[in-house]
Amino acid sequence: MAEVILKNIHKVYEGGVTAVKDLSFTVRDKEFLVLVGPSGCGKSTLLRMIAGLEEISSGELRIDGRLCNDMAPKDRDIAMVFQNYALYPHMTVEENLAFGLKLRKLPKEEIRRRVGEAAEMLAITPYLSRKPKALSGGQRQRVALGRAIVRKPKVFLFDVPLSNLDAKMRVQMRVEISRLSGQLQTTMIYVTHDQTEAMTMGHRIVCMKDGVIQQYGTPMELYKRPANRFVAGFIGMPPMNFLPCEWLGETLMIPGAGSTGLRSGDFQSGQKTLADDGKAPKPMMGVRPEHLRLERASDGTGGTRTGIAAEVEVVEPLGAETLVYCRAGAHRAVARVHPDLAVGRGDQVLLYPEAAHMHFFEGEPS
């Protein structure tokens, strides 16, 4: 078991292209840490630097207290699971599992024991005599996991390991890897561009963009208290809604939405919360689909009703919930509603953000 410490890590390629910029964080012993971000953000490059497959331009990498910048990959006591499985096609499953142990010249009985334990743990014992081409994608991924497990490394590294699997198998393997994390009690660093994997698997998440850490914390910290608009829009599915806004007296207006505005009395908490303790909010409001209440514009008992006036464009019933995509003037928003709410395309509705779950950002692009 090991702690991994990264301090002021930079990666600059020839030609001055910077992939990772002044990156620092600590992966605790036995922690499952997820690196998440869009393609090209530097997360896989960072993982390869930890593995020793990429040189570190500057900064310090320590694994279990040892400075590893110039240490050969084989001496770092890590095991890596790749996106494409990286199995030897001419070897059986058993031979693939045992190969690394044979190179380390472990006794035959110890190799046999470790291979058997890993195969049992991953439910691949019936396939030990098969070659990779005779296995499904999920079975191959289990073999790749088994090959890492038998080595009993201090640190496991996962480089988008589930991206080649179908949707159902990704969910199954996600649960399997999480179970293994609890069972093995080993430090794990997992790279993905799938925010659902990050939210469901990681003890903590490092969210990256353009080689820079945007936020570092637990999944719920990133979900409930995003540090900026990028994190707010990247974490959560469907993504957070963003609408331009301004205060006019006690009314929160959404310019260009064809709305009569949202008075402070329309919210569960007061204007002070919405206006950041009396200060004018930033010009971009963010609210997640699950925190956007939707009502039919024709409902109620008459009188002037406030709210974000919108028209339903698409309804997606998902069984346990329904996603309603709306156009509010020049803007679009999606609400996650109860499946019994009867709305259809073309219906006029009013949208009400929940004050306790509203966020305000600068109006920069996400």
Side-chain angles (χ1 to χ4, degrees):
M1 315 312 161
E3 183 180 64
V4 180
I5 301 174
L6 297 95
K7 184 176 180 181
N8 305 122
I9 297 292
H10 285 80
K11 177 61 181 180
V12 182
Y13 290 104
E14 291 184 9
V17 177
T18 302
V20 174
K21 306 173 187 176
D22 195 26
L23 192 149
S24 301
F25 63 87
T26 297
V27 188
R28 301 165 183 161
D29 184 30
K30 303 179 185 179
E31 181 176 31
F32 194 123
L33 182 124
V34 178
L35 301 174
V36 68
S39 297
C41 73
K43 57 189 184 298
S44 288
T45 299
L46 178 60
L47 195 76
R48 291 173 63 84
M49 285 193 286
I50 296 172
L53 303 178
E54 292 271 3
E55 291 185 1
I56 297 173
S57 300
S58 64
E60 290 186 359
L61 168 67
R62 294 184 179 273
I63 300 176
D64 198 22
R66 299 183 300 166
L67 184 64
C68 296
N69 288 47
D70 300 317
M71 187 179 293
K74 65 182 180 64
D75 299 325
R76 299 190 182 197
D77 200 7
I78 56 95
M80 192 162 180
V81 179
F82 296 91
Q83 175 182 0
N84 61 357
Y85 318 131
L87 302 177
Y88 296 107
H90 63 287
M91 295 183 182
T92 65
V93 169
E94 185 173 14
E95 290 167 340
N96 267 282
L97 294 175
F99 184 71
L101 302 181
K102 289 180 179 178
L103 290 181
R104 294 165 65 183
K105 302 187 186 309
L106 267 64
K108 289 183 179 180
E109 187 57 37
E110 175 68 7
I111 293 175
R112 189 178 300 111
R113 183 183 65 80
R114 290 195 188 187
V115 168
E117 288 177 353
E120 185 70 22
M121 185 182 302
L122 295 165
I124 55 174
T125 302
Y127 314 122
L128 288 176
S129 61
R130 296 187 188 180
K131 292 185 178 179
K133 66 180 180 181
L135 303 176
S136 68
Q139 291 165 347
R140 292 179 193 178
Q141 192 57 273
R142 281 188 165 86
V143 177
L145 286 170
R147 190 174 55 185
I149 289 171
V150 296
R151 293 181 53 192
K152 297 185 177 180
K154 290 182 178 177
V155 181
F156 281 97
L157 305 178
F158 298 87
D159 191 11
V160 286
L162 308 184
S163 60
N164 288 338
L165 303 179
D166 62 49
K168 182 178 180 181
M169 185 56 67
R170 280 201 302 273
V171 173
Q172 293 177 355
M173 289 305 301
R174 192 171 74 208
V175 173
E176 190 71 20
I177 293 173
S178 296
R179 183 185 65 81
L180 286 172
S181 172
Q183 187 172 346
L184 296 173
Q185 290 292 292
T186 305
T187 306
M188 295 185 176
I189 305 175
Y190 187 102
V191 163
T192 182
H193 50 256
D194 186 328
Q195 57 87 31
T196 300
E197 289 181 18
M199 288 290 293
T200 56
M201 300 175 73
H203 297 154
R204 286 190 297 169
I205 296 173
V206 173
C207 185
M208 296 179 62
K209 178 188 178 188
D210 297 333
V212 177
I213 293 178
Q214 302 297 308
Q215 192 167 354
Y216 176 34
T218 66
M220 293 312 295
E221 284 173 346
L222 271 67
Y223 175 81
K224 291 183 175 180
R225 295 183 293 279
N228 54 43
R229 184 177 168 185
F230 172 78
V231 176
F234 193 83
I235 299 296
M237 187 57 64
M240 181 180 285
N241 298 299
F242 295 105
L243 297 168
C245 64
E246 59 184 28
W247 276 105
L248 295 177
E250 293 188 354
T251 301
L252 181 67
M253 299 296 297
I254 310 298
S259 171
T260 57
L262 293 158
R263 300 193 186 110
S264 59
D266 294 326
F267 301 100
Q268 294 177 357
S269 55
Q271 182 180 351
K272 184 178 180 181
T273 300
L274 293 175
D276 191 20
D277 292 330
K279 300 177 183 178
K282 295 178 180 179
M284 188 65 66
M285 179 188 74
V287 60
R288 297 195 182 280
E290 50 270 37
H291 301 141
L292 191 59
R293 182 165 55 90
L294 181 149
E295 293 183 5
R296 297 174 66 92
S298 58
D299 291 346
T301 58
T304 302
R305 304 185 68 215
T306 62
I308 302 173
E311 179 179 320
V312 175
E313 291 190 315
V314 176
V315 178
E316 289 187 344
L318 300 175
E321 63 188 15
T322 296
L323 299 179
V324 181
Y325 293 82
C326 306
R327 175 183 284 277
H331 317 295
R332 284 190 166 90
V334 55
R336 192 191 305 269
V337 303
H338 194 277
D340 292 340
L341 181 64
V343 291
R345 182 178 179 182
D347 285 354
Q348 301 301 309
V349 297
L350 293 172
L351 305 175
Y352 297 93
E354 294 181 13
H357 300 289
M358 291 174 68
H359 307 269
F360 293 97
F361 306 98
E362 296 295 344
E364 78 282 359
S366 59

